[in-house]
Amino acid sequence: LPSAQPAAGSQEAAAEERKRIAATHRARADSNLLDRERIRRDCLEDRNLRFAPPSAPVAGGSVLRAPTSAGAGSGSAAGSSAGERPVALRVKLADGRLLELFLCEQDRLAVVFDAVASARQATDTFVLRVVVPPADYLSDSAEHRALSLGAVGLAPAASLLVASAATRGLQRVSVASEWRATQAGNAQAGEVRMRAELARLVQAGGEVGGAHQGGAALAGLRAELLDASALDELQTALLARAEECIPQAEAQLEVFLVGADAAGAGAGSAAGVRELGVAEASVLCAEREWRDIILQEPIAEALLAGERVVVAVLHGDTSMRSAQAYLAATLRRWLLELKRDGAGRVVGETVNVDPITRRQYTREQVVSVLLFGALPPPTQTGAAGGDAP
């Protein structure tokens, strides 16, 4: 019995120690929770401050300061005593002026609307566009005017833009998106202009060779924007002045035409242009797993479907290790583009470099590829003359 009392005392001490450790862990967890909340609040305030516009106005603008409940004497003291956080707002007007408002978290958006309306000196309806978080608020909406600054997430600082009420709800796009949309519109308008220029060239007939110098008449034409019929017209105009528009170069590549009517396009007769059998080309394409550079269509499958293919090999390479294959129609469209300098100005000559190896084609090779790629589909040729592969 005497020995049982010390054992009971040691158990009570161990229980007290466990309680003390548990209390320490709880206190540490509560402290960590408070720290996380403080960090989250600081990050939110820092984000609002960083996204707010600079205090200096834009060129030609001016800063209008509006003394409100958080900015002038008694109002500021009243806000502090009530525990309300001050809110700094910067509102950019349509004319470039910057309106600075100093409010409290419980103030309503009506105060902001009234200050902006006074600065605008206009009575029409407008929209307050909040940058962060993104939202639009209408000046004549009673529901929006009754919202507090804290409820809409404008504390402790935020930036706003004044916009026309007609733009409310419209999707805002980035500068890059606007540029891409503009480029697409310009491309459509450019195609209309190019078709008109092509019609003028075709109507000119025999004047194409003498009335225009070099490729100046085709300066605005872009082959990538033309459909099949317009591309044929462009090719006709260029081939009529091949010596002026298609540059001559040293033989850096060997060209092999694969498919129906290869001989008619110059295979075997033009320098550096030969014919390659479909079976041999199919094995080569299957081993390399080539795909068309534009359509991403497997070249081997295209050959089996009867499409025409062009294989380009470095001059003197008998092993075919440097070979590159293209759909004839794709390479034709590539070679119909006009060269442009670093400033985007048209040089007046067609492109004569390989899209992958960047080696140059000779004039005879370019003409052969153009003729080969412009041939009608093999199914139509086969139906007419029975020479489909």
Side-chain angles (χ1 to χ4, degrees):
L1 291 179
S3 60
Q5 294 180 354
S10 62
Q11 292 178 358
E12 293 178 358
E16 292 295 333
E17 180 65 17
R18 287 194 296 271
K19 291 180 181 180
R20 185 187 65 79
I21 294 176
T24 302
H25 288 327
R26 284 194 299 270
R28 185 178 302 170
D30 293 341
S31 177
N32 291 340
L33 182 62
L34 293 176
D35 289 341
R36 285 196 296 269
E37 179 63 23
R38 177 182 56 79
I39 293 173
R40 188 195 65 81
R41 185 172 61 252
D42 292 344
C43 290
L44 179 62
E45 295 178 357
D46 179 69
R47 182 197 64 177
N48 289 336
L49 289 174
R50 285 189 294 108
F51 277 99
S55 57
V58 297
S62 59
V63 177
L64 307 177
R65 295 182 178 273
T68 52
S69 59
S74 61
S76 177
S80 299
S81 61
E84 296 180 2
R85 288 193 300 170
V87 179
L89 300 179
R90 293 180 174 90
V91 185
K92 186 175 181 180
L93 305 180
D95 57 5
R97 292 180 298 164
L98 187 64
L99 177 63
E100 292 187 344
L101 301 177
F102 302 96
L103 305 168
C104 289
E105 190 174 10
Q106 299 303 319
D107 285 334
R108 306 297 174 180
L109 277 177
V111 179
V112 183
F113 283 125
D114 294 341
V116 172
S118 177
R120 294 176 72 240
Q121 297 181 352
T123 59
D124 59 317
T125 304
F126 60 90
V127 168
L128 278 181
R129 181 158 292 167
V130 182
V131 179
V132 178
D136 287 347
Y137 299 99
L138 200 59
S139 62
D140 62 353
S141 171
E143 179 184 358
H144 291 172
R145 295 178 67 88
L147 295 174
S148 67
L149 302 182
V152 297
L154 300 182
S159 60
L160 303 91
L161 302 174
V162 178
S164 171
T167 64
R168 184 193 177 201
L170 296 180
Q171 182 180 7
R172 297 181 290 276
V173 297
S174 64
V175 175
S177 299
E178 292 178 349
W179 179 86
R180 285 192 292 268
T182 303
Q183 291 296 103
N186 292 342
Q188 294 178 356
E191 181 175 356
V192 174
R193 292 194 300 270
M194 286 185 283
R195 294 303 296 269
E197 177 67 12
L198 280 172
R200 187 183 66 80
L201 288 173
V202 174
Q203 291 174 1
E207 299 180 1
V208 171
H212 308 289
Q213 297 180 357
L218 304 176
L221 301 181
R222 296 296 300 271
E224 63 182 357
L225 302 176
L226 299 177
D227 57 20
S229 60
L231 204 64
D232 293 339
E233 297 174 5
L234 173 59
Q235 177 170 316
T236 302
L238 289 175
L239 291 180
R241 298 188 324 219
E243 294 184 357
E244 300 175 3
C245 295
I246 302 178
Q248 183 59 281
E250 296 181 357
Q252 299 179 354
L253 294 167
E254 293 286 342
V255 174
F256 295 89
L257 306 182
V258 186
D261 300 322
S269 58
V273 181
R274 289 183 284 175
E275 184 176 2
L276 185 64
V278 175
E280 183 180 355
S282 299
V283 174
L284 185 63
C285 293
E287 292 177 353
R288 305 290 182 86
E289 298 183 352
W290 279 320
R291 289 181 176 269
D292 185 65
I293 57 174
I294 301 298
L295 303 178
Q296 292 301 306
E297 179 182 353
I299 303 294
E301 296 180 7
L303 279 173
L304 294 178
E307 296 191 41
R308 296 180 176 87
V309 172
V310 177
V311 179
V313 186
L314 293 182
H315 184 67
D317 181 11
T318 58
S319 64
M320 303 290 283
R321 292 181 179 177
S322 61
Q324 295 292 337
Y326 312 95
L327 293 180
T330 298
L331 188 58
R332 173 211 180 198
R333 186 177 289 268
W334 168 269
L335 294 176
L336 280 175
E337 288 290 345
L338 294 178
K339 292 181 180 179
R340 296 175 183 267
D341 59 15
R345 295 183 295 265
V346 174
V347 176
E349 293 181 340
T350 59
V351 172
N352 67 331
V353 296
D354 185 86
I356 295 180
T357 63
R358 312 306 296 179
R359 300 299 178 91
Q360 292 183 335
Y361 293 100
T362 65
R363 181 182 298 153
E364 292 78 9
Q365 291 172 339
V366 171
V367 171
S368 296
V369 173
L370 294 181
L371 295 175
F372 190 56
L375 292 173
T379 54
Q380 298 179 7
T381 305
D387 55 351

